[in-house]
Amino acid sequence: MAKSIGRATVIKKNAVAIAGVRTKTIAWGGESIDVTSNEDAGVRLLLSESAQEQIDISFDGIESDYVLRDIALDTASDKMLTDITYELDDGTVISGSFRLSSYEMGSPYNEDTTFSATLESSGAWTVTPPTP
């Protein structure tokens, strides 16, 4: 398995890296469809398709440009971000519409101001493989 460095993975909004990000996590989820019945003798039976699929992107870092903070705290702001890309270190790009579902800012007395945020996919996303 190829080794990689985390800082090579970048989350972008409108083709610009979200400033200050240090830790990034992407999670895929696929809700199973349980079709177990009495005939299955108590053994679970699942369909191969997912009832619903989603991608969640979580990240945190050092607050530096307040773009996400301003979106989160402005009650009139649209939380649907249609210009998000998650660029993996191998060149794979995941893009689509994501809703800003959480934002948290920490302000310790004698340290940097930090933030964490979560984006949830809305609709289909696109995966573009790396170019050789």
Side-chain angles (χ1 to χ4, degrees):
M1 178 179 193
K3 307 235 184 313
S4 62
I5 188 161
R7 68 175 172 257
T9 296
V10 180
I11 303 169
K12 293 182 177 179
K13 180 186 179 328
N14 196 25
V16 176
I18 296 174
V21 173
R22 296 175 54 106
T23 305
K24 300 145 297 248
T25 303
I26 187 166
W28 170 88
E31 184 179 320
S32 297
I33 302 172
D34 187 339
V35 293
T36 310
S37 67
N38 289 342
E39 293 82 27
D40 298 314
V43 177
R44 181 175 59 189
L45 182 61
L46 301 174
L47 292 180
S48 62
E49 300 89 19
S50 296
Q52 174 178 298
E53 294 187 28
Q54 69 271 347
I55 289 180
D56 296 332
I57 300 172
S58 301
F59 50 99
D60 60 62
I62 307 300
E63 189 68 76
S64 61
D65 68 5
Y66 303 110
V67 170
L68 294 177
R69 181 202 66 181
D70 293 348
I71 292 169
L73 298 179
D74 181 357
T75 58
S77 176
D78 188 359
K79 308 305 186 254
M80 187 64 67
L81 310 177
T82 59
D83 52 0
I84 297 295
T85 58
Y86 191 91
E87 300 179 4
L88 299 165
D89 63 317
D90 71 351
T92 300
V93 176
I94 301 165
S95 57
S97 296
F98 291 81
R99 184 176 184 281
L100 178 61
S101 63
S102 72
Y103 175 85
E104 183 176 319
M105 187 169 78
S107 301
Y109 169 72
N110 59 348
E111 296 177 27
D112 290 333
T113 299
T114 61
F115 76 97
S116 62
T118 301
L119 302 172
E120 297 177 331
S121 63
S122 177
W125 55 85
T126 303
V127 177
T128 306
T131 54

